[in-house]
């Protein structure tokens, strides 16, 4: 019995080519990612490895009245600045060997391909989960304004790139007399002032559990929280998923992941949070570049790609996945770091 009898060469089967596999892995469910699932960063494919962001700082002035027939006020040109960002390349490899399907089917069974397809899908789901938690980490970085690699090195500091100073508001939740509503208004007003022609529907803050617990037990917040919590209890809502106070919605975020050394890294530091506008149209996006395959040259990038190849001596199938995403906030001035220093 040859290799093709025991383990058909699925790497050459049209049903498992790069187009079909990439379609399959993109259809598989996303099992991780609060920020990803929010839809705040829509996927926007590009055909190159570099994305250019053009900033057009329009100049707005009050126009004076003039007598009839007088010449109009001459307009002034705004300043244009183009910034380029290299899109990260994130490859991941795995394999399928004979032991993965040994004993799963009887020799000569009619559902052989169905069994192998299930093994492939299981591998793809596992590989996609790793890409998704990586994307969540990158996307949270874009919400914080500082995008980190898996080793905590800085890929992009958006405040440096856009030449602005990060806005930070200390809520001082350890002080019982702190007017928390005023702190909220400071955040909201800053975001509104920096939309620069963009629109928003609301302001949300993803915060650590430590910040959230201090907020809801603060002397000037607790009564409002108790009334809101009572209403949520009646409808069976999750008390951590959206407490609105002072014009902001606070949500506890517990995302974390182990790095390559096995150390668990929290995506939001204790006693901190990050506020941002919701309902925008052009402020947030995840730019995806095409894979470095011959088949994908000059095509619009997809979220994740997958490809298979037969191992040497027919010992199994090598599986390769890759994603090439860059989540960006095009207006980092609307991002506000909040914290409680006491």
């Amino acid at each position: 019995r040859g290799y093709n009898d025991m383990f058909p060469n699925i790497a050459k089967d049209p049903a498992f080519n790069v187009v079909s596999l990439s379609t399959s892995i993109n259809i598989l469910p996303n099992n991780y990612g609060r920020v990803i699932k929010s839809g705040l960063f829509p996927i926007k494919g590009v055909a190159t490895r570099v994305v250019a962001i053009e900033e057009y700082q329009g100049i707005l002035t009050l126009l004076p009245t003039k007598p009839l027939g007088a010449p109009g006020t001459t307009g002034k040109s705004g300043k244009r600045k183009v910034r380029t960002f290299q899109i990260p390349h994130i490859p991941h490899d795995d394999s399928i060997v004979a032991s993965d399907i040994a004993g799963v089917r009887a020799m000569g069974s009619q559902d052989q391909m169905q069994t192998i397809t299930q093994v492939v899908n299981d591998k793809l789901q596992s590989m996609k989960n790793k890409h998704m938690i990586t994307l969540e980490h990158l996307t949270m970085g874009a919400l914080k304004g500082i995008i980190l690699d898996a080793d905590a090195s800085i890929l992009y500091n958006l405040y440096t790139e856009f030449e602005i100073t990060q806005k930070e508001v200390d809520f001082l939740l350890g002080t019982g007399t702190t007017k928390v509503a005023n702190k909220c208004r400071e955040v909201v007003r800053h975001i509104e002032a920096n939309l620069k022609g963009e629109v928003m529907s609301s302001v949300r803050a993803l915060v650590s559990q430590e910040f959230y617990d201090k907020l809801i037990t603060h002397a000037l917040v607790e009564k409002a929280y108790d009334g809101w919590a009572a209403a949520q209890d009646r409808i069976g809502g999750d008390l951590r998923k959206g407490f609105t106070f002072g014009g902001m919605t606070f949500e506890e975020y517990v995302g974390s992941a182990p790095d390559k050394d096995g150390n668990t890294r929290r995506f939001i530091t204790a006693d901190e949070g990050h506020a941002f506008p919701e309902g925008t149209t052009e402020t947030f996006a995840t730019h995806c570049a095409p894979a470095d395959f011959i088949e994908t040259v000059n095509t619009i990038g997809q979220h994740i790609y997958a490809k298979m190849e037969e191992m040497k001596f027919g010992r199994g199938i090598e599986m390769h996945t890759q994603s090439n995403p860059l989540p960006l906030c095009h207006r980092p001035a609307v991002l506000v770091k909040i914290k409680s220093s006491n």
Side-chain angles (χ1 to χ4, degrees):
R1 292 190 294 245
Y3 167 79
N4 286 336
D5 294 323
M6 296 296 296
F7 194 0
N9 189 354
I10 59 176
K12 295 182 180 179
D13 191 299
F16 297 99
N17 61 24
V18 64
V19 175
S20 298
L21 279 179
S22 296
T23 300
S24 297
I25 198 171
N26 279 291
I27 291 175
L28 289 171
N30 297 335
N31 291 334
Y32 190 90
R34 168 65 184 92
V35 181
I36 296 172
K37 291 180 180 179
S38 72
L40 186 67
F41 286 80
I43 299 294
K44 293 188 176 182
V46 295
T48 62
R49 308 293 307 179
V50 175
V51 60
I53 306 298
E54 182 182 46
E55 178 186 10
Y56 180 57
Q57 182 92 31
I59 298 175
L60 299 178
T61 59
L62 295 177
L63 298 178
T65 60
K66 295 272 188 174
L68 291 176
T73 305
T74 303
K76 297 180 180 180
S77 298
K79 294 180 180 179
R80 291 181 182 271
K81 183 175 289 187
V82 176
R83 296 176 175 88
T84 58
F85 297 85
Q86 185 77 28
I87 297 179
H89 174 61
I90 307 174
H92 178 52
D93 297 321
D94 207 330
S95 62
I96 299 175
V97 295
S99 60
D100 290 325
I101 61 171
V104 176
R105 63 176 179 83
M107 182 65 182
S109 64
Q110 298 301 310
D111 60 350
Q112 179 180 11
M113 287 303 295
Q114 180 179 352
T115 300
I116 295 176
T117 299
Q118 185 59 52
V119 172
V120 170
N121 285 340
D122 289 345
K123 285 283 186 180
L124 290 177
Q125 182 67 72
S126 176
M127 298 173 84
K128 180 174 184 176
N129 290 345
K130 296 173 185 176
H131 282 289
M132 295 307 295
I133 195 170
T134 302
L135 180 60
E136 178 78 359
H137 180 246
L138 292 173
T139 306
M140 177 54 71
L143 268 185
K144 295 159 77 172
I146 301 177
I147 304 173
L148 301 180
D149 204 345
D151 61 358
S153 62
I154 296 177
L155 290 174
Y156 289 108
N157 183 326
L158 298 182
Y159 304 109
T160 301
E161 295 288 341
F162 285 84
E163 302 171 352
I164 61 174
T165 301
Q166 181 184 21
K167 174 67 173 178
E168 184 176 300
V169 178
D170 190 345
F171 274 57
L172 296 170
L173 296 174
T175 302
T177 56
T178 300
K179 296 189 180 302
V180 180
N182 288 350
K183 297 288 187 178
C184 294
R185 281 190 286 272
E186 181 181 353
V187 172
V188 173
R189 286 167 177 162
H190 176 84
I191 293 176
E192 289 174 340
N194 286 279
L195 286 172
K196 303 296 185 183
E198 174 67 288
V199 297
M200 74 172 186
S201 59
S202 56
V203 172
R204 181 174 294 267
L206 298 180
V207 300
S208 67
Q209 49 264 53
E210 295 86 357
F211 185 101
Y212 192 81
D213 288 345
K214 289 181 180 180
L215 173 71
I216 63 176
T217 56
H218 188 272
L220 300 182
V221 178
E222 191 170 17
K223 184 176 180 180
Y225 177 79
D226 288 343
W228 174 83
Q232 291 298 305
D233 284 340
R234 287 194 292 270
I235 62 175
D238 188 337
L239 301 183
R240 303 171 303 164
K241 296 302 182 184
F243 167 53
T244 300
F245 182 83
M248 294 176 57
T249 299
F250 295 87
E251 178 179 339
E252 181 181 325
Y253 181 90
V254 294
S256 64
D259 59 21
K260 61 183 180 62
D261 298 320
N263 302 312
T264 299
R265 183 178 303 142
R266 292 176 58 169
F267 294 173
I268 295 183
T269 305
D271 294 313
E272 293 183 359
H274 299 275
F276 54 90
E278 295 182 302
T280 58
T281 59
E282 297 292 337
T283 296
F284 303 101
T286 299
H287 303 278
C288 291
D292 56 347
F293 304 146
I294 294 296
E295 301 97 320
T296 58
V297 172
N298 295 327
T299 62
I300 299 300
Q302 296 186 36
H303 184 193
I304 306 177
Y305 291 87
K307 198 171 187 178
M308 296 194 301
E309 184 176 62
E310 182 181 353
M311 292 181 184
K312 192 175 182 180
F313 303 120
R315 303 191 61 154
I317 298 294
E318 293 180 340
M319 300 185 69
H320 171 81
T321 58
Q322 64 171 272
S323 57
N324 304 275
L326 180 60
L328 280 179
C329 174
H330 305 146
R331 292 176 174 84
V334 302
L335 305 177
V336 181
K337 178 181 178 179
I338 62 176
K339 67 177 184 179
S340 177
S341 61
N342 64 0

